[in-house]
Amino acid sequence: LAMLLVLALQVGTGLVSDDEIAFTGPLYSFVSSQISGLATWYHKEVGSTILLVLVGLHLAAIVFYRAVKQQRLVRAMLSGDQAVNDQELSPSQDSTADRLLALAVFAGCAAGMAYIANLGG
């Protein structure tokens, strides 16, 4: 959850940031220069460092689970399925409707981001 929060903050601050050389975020014109300056500072100095630390912790946790707990997590993270030996658990079932809903949500998010990206231009 921490990584998702930091990623969301990185995206949000990147949308309004200005590097004063070549790049401005697509929503830069909607905020004051003071807010843009704070967002740029967070985006370049704080957020990127925190994000790299969290990615490192994430990779360290994967290595720990593989080396110490003897659990392979990468395949489960990629596929969304994890084999378990517990007889009381039933496997999850993704229906065609679930997958189509996920595709629709993805398309809606992509369309929303394309709209936001074009607001400043």
Side-chain angles (χ1 to χ4, degrees), residues 42-119:
Y42 174 84
H43 187 79
K44 291 171 72 174
E45 304 295 329
V46 179
S48 60
T49 303
I50 293 172
L51 187 57
L52 289 173
V53 168
L54 289 173
V55 167
L57 285 172
H58 187 73
L59 294 173
I62 292 170
V63 170
F64 172 79
Y65 268 82
R66 179 67 179 114
V68 176
K69 294 193 168 197
Q70 301 296 314
Q71 293 182 17
R72 297 181 180 195
L73 298 179
V74 176
R75 181 176 291 135
M77 283 190 270
L78 294 175
S79 70
D81 293 323
Q82 174 74 18
V84 294
N85 294 330
D86 192 347
Q87 299 298 325
E88 295 179 21
L89 296 175
S90 60
S92 65
Q93 301 272 329
D94 289 338
S95 66
T96 303
D98 292 332
R99 292 177 188 259
L100 288 174
L101 177 61
L103 182 62
V105 169
F106 175 75
C109 290
M113 289 310 302
Y115 174 76
I116 288 172
N118 289 318
L119 279 177

Side-chain angles (χ1 to χ4, degrees), residues 5-7 9-10 13 37-50:
L5 176 65
V6 172
L7 279 169
L9 285 170
Q10 276 297 97
T13 55
L38 286 172
T40 302
W41 170 78
Y42 174 84
H43 187 79
K44 291 171 72 174
E45 304 295 329
V46 179
S48 60
T49 303
I50 293 172

